Amino acid sequence: MRDPYKVLGVQKDAGADEIKAAWRHMAKAVHPDHNQGDPNATARFAEIGRAYETLKDPKKRSLFDTAARMAEAKMGGGETIMQQRQAAREAAARAKAAQENAERVMEELARANAQKAAKAAAEEAAKQKASNAAGAESAEEVVDRIFGTQTKAAGGTAGNAGQAQSQAQGQAQAQAKAKPADAETAKTETDAPKTDADAIDPNAAASAGILQPFSILNALVRRFTGTAPAPEKAPDQFAQATVTIDDLMKGSRIIVPLGEGQEASFTLSPGTTEGQQIRLKGQGLKLPNMQRGDAVIGVHIAADHRFTVHGFDLHTVLPVTIENAVLGTETEIEGPGGRLKVTVPAWSGSDKTIRIEGQGLPDGNSGRGDLVVELRIMLWEKPDDKVTDLMRSMREGLFL
């Protein structure tokens, strides 16, 4: 609906009499009876009536005024939102500029820190170089220079050690006597300007001077008593050894290739089982300047057409014909150590097992596992008429 104030042509603060007069005037002017040639006269007359109905009722007029004010406020709020968006864009631009400035500052700081670290590293390297130059000859090198790189025979080892110790003590006393002169020299040189090469920690230099005689003495003791530190041990090497049941029964010696021409060997001890790992010390990798490592061998028992292994027990299968299963019989089977006699009881089915004690694998406790014989009822190679008639009569209940 259009604004009723505009429809009637009055101001928003017009009184009730003014609104009524305006309505009467406009209704008379646009009445359809006076404007029969105007097709829009009826619509205009109805619009004027609706405007008057709204404004003449105080409640309806108040509601319309409230709705109009809210609409105006909403339109004014649109302008405020636009201003807020503009302000947000400006704030984002300022934040971006501040971030770029901060990044430039951080880059400058990082560059300065890198230069400072490089300078400190160069100074440290110069100090280290000077320190190495001051003590370039280690205790071991001093001993090698004085006594040579080869030791004497074992018979003179103790004498050499005593002589070396005496010489070391003499050198230590000589150095102690020379300390006053060195102190005077150092006092004289104190007045001279120091360079980067001279910038060495005096405490570290003093400690090195004090400890050097003891280092030489320790080097002499290690040299003539043979107490050099043991070389580092090479890592373990893993391999697998496939053994037979006969090897386990006999305790055979097994050779395991490790590759690159190396091999390890061991003897099967009682109690060895499938999947067991055996550590062979000093039979593993050979690496330069390292102690030989250990070989770790995993044991795998090869398949055997005669037996299957269950722990320390051996299982075998004995085929039995029907008549022997019903009546029982005595027969022989192949055991791990040769032929063995077996008695099959009467009425033995395929679920029957016969256990022969002490005929299995060595268990490591001065004993052995068992040989377990599993019965399997077998038919003849060719059908037998008598047996067939008997089975038929038993199944069908006909007794001859």
Side-chain angles (χ1 to χ4, degrees), residues 99-222:
Q99 183 179 1
E100 292 176 353
N101 292 334
E103 290 178 354
R104 286 195 293 270
V105 171
M106 292 299 294
E107 290 178 358
E108 293 296 333
L109 290 175
R111 189 179 296 108
N113 290 333
Q115 293 176 355
K116 184 178 179 180
K119 184 178 179 181
E123 293 176 356
E124 184 66 23
K127 291 181 180 180
Q128 186 68 24
K129 183 176 180 181
S131 178
N132 293 339
E137 191 174 24
S138 64
E140 299 289 347
E141 293 173 346
V142 171
V143 173
D144 290 340
R145 177 171 54 82
I146 295 174
F147 297 99
T149 58
Q150 300 293 333
T151 59
K152 293 183 179 181
T157 299
N160 291 335
Q163 183 180 0
Q165 184 172 1
S166 300
Q167 292 179 359
Q169 293 176 354
Q171 290 180 359
Q173 294 175 358
Q175 290 182 359
K177 292 179 180 179
K179 281 184 180 179
D182 293 341
E184 294 294 333
T185 304
K187 182 176 180 182
T188 304
E189 293 177 351
T190 304
D191 299 333
K194 294 183 179 181
T195 61
D196 292 340
D198 297 330
I200 302 175
D201 188 359
N203 294 329
S207 299
I210 293 173
L211 294 177
Q212 186 177 11
F214 296 99
S215 300
I216 294 176
L217 181 59
N218 291 333
L220 288 170
V221 173
R222 288 196 302 269

Side-chain angles (χ1 to χ4, degrees), residues 235-321:
D236 295 341
Q237 187 173 8
F238 294 85
Q240 186 180 62
T242 301
V243 301
T244 64
I245 293 177
D246 293 336
D247 292 333
L248 294 173
M249 297 294 294
K250 298 175 182 178
S252 302
R253 186 164 186 82
I254 306 300
I255 298 177
V256 185
L258 301 178
E260 298 182 358
Q262 301 183 28
E263 61 183 21
S265 62
F266 66 99
T267 301
L268 289 171
S269 60
T272 303
T273 58
E274 171 69 27
Q276 181 176 346
Q277 287 190 339
I278 301 175
R279 177 176 293 275
L280 305 177
K281 293 186 177 181
Q283 297 193 39
L285 285 175
K286 288 183 179 180
L287 297 177
N289 301 324
M290 295 185 72
Q291 183 182 358
R292 186 170 181 179
D294 297 342
V296 180
I297 309 300
V299 177
H300 171 64
I301 302 176
D304 193 295
H305 69 280
R306 302 167 300 169
F307 312 104
T308 56
V309 179
H310 295 268
F312 298 110
D313 293 339
L314 298 178
H315 287 234
T316 187
V317 175
L318 175 61
V320 181
T321 59

